[in-house]
Amino acid sequence: MDSENINHKALQEVLNALEIDRKKIAETYKTCYILFGLAALILAIGLLISFPMLAFFGALVPLVIGVVMYFQIQDEVKKYKFVYKTNVVSSVLKEINETFSITPQSGLPEYEFISSELFTTEPDRYKTQDLISGTADKTSFWFAEVHAEYKTETQTKNGTKTTWHTIFKGIIFVADFNKNFEVSTVVRPKGVGDAIGAWFSKNVFSFGNSELVHLENTIFDEIFATYSRNQIEARYILTPAMMERILELNKKSEDTISLSFIDSKMYIAFPLSHNYFEAPIHSSLLVPDLLTDDLSIVQFMQDIVHELDLNTRIWGKK
């Protein structure tokens, strides 16, 4: 038996064991939902027949049992999800690229999110997970899921109301561009500042002497606004070929991407509507297309290296 068959057999054994855990968790959740529904039904009937005390105490029993069961299963849920990512997802990632590794509890540091200059608003609440790193030929790259939010506070009769707004939800991709840029060059969707509304003036990042760069590709200029402190370097980075690659890359994303070229790194923000690499609870693990969608995004991220020709070492680091 060759190593590939051994690996597939080992992975199948992991999936079989995890499927047992998944079914237990799913059944527990189902029981909790039934108990919560029963509590609501008892309360409704009791109030309908004008026995509020009976309704309250009658509903309390299934409600308490359901809540206790729900919280008791959470440790098993966390363990199940962690094993799924570290054993199943990690193993399958190696089939795409043997250098790939996933660290579920790590992500893109908040300081790097801010220093990327991809966004005009500094987050008040920041979550990140599922850091995947690897190399393609000579190019090192990594990416992670990020959800960054800012808050607004308004005064009401009952006090202060806090409302949370999403700055960004999706994947941030970082790659070594093999060039120490003298200044930062940022490419954002046109109109991105409008989404920040009145809060924009509170925490806007200063562009210093950055200027709007008008490029030769009219389609690119219609979609993106490019800012840089050095017009010459911006055009050196955003060659006609590079702009065409970025436009092609943008077509593959759910929404308009953002890019920045800072120090020796390139950052790309891909807006995405849902989380990846999450273990299913209410559907089977033993299906052939279990990781199809997740792997497509990983392959997509790796293809960025080739799409943007990052492995062509035309610039040496200074």
Side-chain angles (χ1 to χ4, degrees):
M1 183 179 293
D2 59 31
S3 59
E4 183 176 349
N5 287 333
I6 292 173
N7 290 338
H8 286 170
K9 183 178 179 181
L11 178 59
Q12 190 61 51
E13 289 176 355
V14 172
L15 285 170
N16 290 338
L18 281 176
E19 177 67 5
I20 296 172
D21 295 336
R22 185 200 66 79
K23 287 181 177 179
K24 178 184 175 182
I25 293 168
E27 284 299 319
T28 302
Y29 277 157
K30 182 179 178 181
T31 302
C32 291
Y33 301 150
I34 291 172
L35 288 169
F36 295 152
L38 180 60
L41 181 62
I42 292 172
L43 184 62
I45 292 173
L47 294 175
L48 188 65
I49 62 176
S50 301
F51 284 99
M53 291 300 292
L54 179 63
F56 175 76
F57 287 108
L60 192 60
V61 174
L63 180 63
V64 170
I65 295 173
V67 169
V68 170
M69 289 181 64
Y70 182 86
F71 282 102
Q72 283 182 337
I73 199 69
Q74 291 312 300
D75 285 341
E76 292 186 40
V77 173
K78 289 179 182 178
K79 180 181 178 182
Y80 163 71
K81 290 182 176 181
F82 182 78
V83 172
Y84 174 80
K85 289 181 179 180
T86 54
N87 290 6
V88 178
V89 176
S90 178
S91 176
V92 177
L93 285 175
K94 297 289 185 184
E95 296 184 10
I96 296 178
N97 183 327
E98 63 179 12
T99 70
F100 271 145
S101 64
I102 181 171
T103 312
Q105 297 173 335
S106 294
L108 186 78
E110 185 174 354
Y111 74 83
E112 192 162 18
F113 176 88
I114 294 171
S115 64
S116 72
E117 297 185 24
L118 289 169
F119 309 97
T120 53
T121 309
E122 190 169 339
D124 294 312
R125 185 163 64 186
Y126 184 83
K127 298 177 183 177
T128 182
Q129 64 176 353
D130 296 336
L131 176 67
I132 293 178
S133 58
T135 59
D137 296 331
K138 297 178 181 179
T139 301
S140 298
F141 61 94
W142 54 97
F143 54 94
E145 292 182 40
V146 169
H147 188 193
E149 300 168 283
Y150 72 90
K151 65 181 178 181
T152 55
E153 295 181 343
T154 55
Q155 294 298 322
T156 66
K157 293 180 180 180
N158 299 321
T160 302
K161 179 184 178 183
T162 299
T163 305
W164 290 95
H165 310 269
T166 294
I167 300 168
F168 175 78
K169 180 176 172 57
I171 288 178
I172 304 289
F173 173 93
V174 189
D176 178 357
F177 206 62
N178 196 45
K179 165 68 177 179
N180 283 325
F181 306 112
E182 293 181 0
V183 300
S184 61
T185 296
V186 181
V187 179
R188 290 198 187 94
K190 279 198 170 175
V192 69
D194 299 337
I196 300 172
W199 202 83
F200 180 82
S201 60
K202 177 184 174 184
N203 262 335
V204 65
F205 291 123
S206 173
F207 290 111
N209 296 319
S210 287
E211 298 176 351
L212 182 64
V213 181
H214 295 286
L215 299 161
E216 291 74 18
N217 189 317
T218 55
I219 297 175
F220 190 92
D221 265 359
E222 287 174 2
I223 297 174
F224 300 105
T226 304
Y227 297 91
S228 181
R229 296 182 181 89
N230 187 324
Q231 295 263 342
I232 295 174
E233 184 172 78
R235 288 181 170 81
Y236 186 50
I237 296 168
L238 296 168
T239 63
M242 175 65 83
M243 286 188 284
E244 287 297 332
R245 291 191 181 101
I246 292 172
L247 287 170
E248 286 301 312
L249 195 62
N250 189 58
K251 291 178 183 178
K252 299 178 182 179
S253 179
E254 288 183 8
D255 206 346
T256 308
I257 64 177
S258 301
L259 305 92
S260 62
F261 305 86
I262 298 173
D263 296 328
S264 64
K265 296 176 183 176
M266 177 185 68
Y267 297 87
I268 310 179
F270 292 89
L272 295 170
S273 57
H274 63 281
N275 293 334
Y276 285 81
F277 318 119
E278 296 301 324
I281 298 292
H282 299 292
S283 59
S284 176
L285 290 168
L286 307 179
V287 292
D289 60 346
L290 174 65
L291 283 163
T292 300
D293 290 340
D294 292 351
L295 295 181
S296 68
I297 196 67
V298 173
Q299 186 65 57
F300 176 65
M301 293 297 157
Q302 179 173 253
D303 288 346
I304 292 170
V305 174
H306 304 292
E307 289 281 351
L308 299 183
D309 204 18
L310 299 185
N311 279 318
T312 301
R313 314 306 254 192
I314 57 174
W315 300 328
K317 284 190 176 180
K318 294 179 181 179

